[in-house]
Amino acid sequence: MTTSPSDPPYRPLLRSQADVQRMWATLMRPLGWRRPALWFAVVDEDDRPLPVLNEVDDLPADFDAEMARSLALVLRSVLDDVAPGGRVALLYCRPGRGAVNREDQRIAAALYAGCRAGRVPVEVVHLATDDQVRPLPLDEVGVRSA
């Protein structure tokens, strides 16, 4: 996405999963990843993302539930500081093409569980591969809500 300093920040209205998917698809062009990464956007209580996109760099290959809970503590703190009443949108990126695999589902499940444990409201987690952005809904990754 090419912008100039005089352009207003990209802050689409996010009221549905499709809105979130469009946001990620717009922000992540061109697709293509050298390594796995996790991105997050803070969405304010007016349903608009703040104009800062954040990357969790060097995502470990063994990203697990404990790491997701630690991340959720950070996300909860960020929300408390900059967007009380807001939520987060998460995007897991990985190299390669093709369908959602078990590793994608495992990571999404850990993110949902971590956010639930940390009381972090979260949009549907999305996956970006080298060829598309797609949702990883809670009910498709094997997590049951508490």
Side-chain angles (χ1 to χ4, degrees):
M1 183 173 181
T2 305
T3 62
S4 76
S6 62
D7 289 341
Y10 177 66
R11 298 190 67 214
L13 193 58
L14 303 178
R15 292 208 171 133
S16 71
Q17 177 276 312
D19 294 337
V20 176
Q21 186 170 346
R22 267 191 301 280
M23 175 192 74
W24 286 126
T26 299
L27 291 172
M28 293 297 146
R29 295 280 180 222
L31 295 174
W33 312 100
R34 292 188 180 144
R35 60 181 165 44
L38 181 66
W39 291 83
F40 72 91
V42 175
V43 181
D44 66 21
E45 54 191 25
D46 293 328
D47 299 323
R48 295 195 184 272
L50 299 183
V52 176
L53 195 57
N54 305 278
E55 181 181 12
V56 178
D57 204 9
D58 296 323
L59 190 69
D62 61 346
F63 185 83
D64 62 10
E66 185 59 37
M67 290 177 200
R69 282 190 292 276
S70 295
L71 173 64
L73 291 175
V74 172
L75 295 173
R76 180 74 259 163
S77 178
V78 169
L79 285 173
D80 290 344
D81 287 347
V82 299
R87 59 195 188 276
V88 296
L90 297 168
L91 176 72
Y92 170 60
C93 306
R94 67 159 170 84
R97 297 176 173 272
V100 174
N101 62 40
R102 286 188 178 165
E103 183 67 4
D104 302 332
Q105 292 175 323
R106 184 189 68 75
I107 289 172
L111 290 168
Y112 282 120
C115 287
R116 184 179 59 233
R119 298 177 352 271
V120 175
V122 63
E123 294 285 350
V124 171
V125 174
H126 282 74
L127 167 69
T129 61
D130 291 345
D131 59 344
Q132 62 183 300
V133 175
R134 62 178 60 109
L136 296 173
L138 187 72
D139 61 344
E140 291 181 16
V141 298
V143 177
R144 295 186 183 171
S145 58

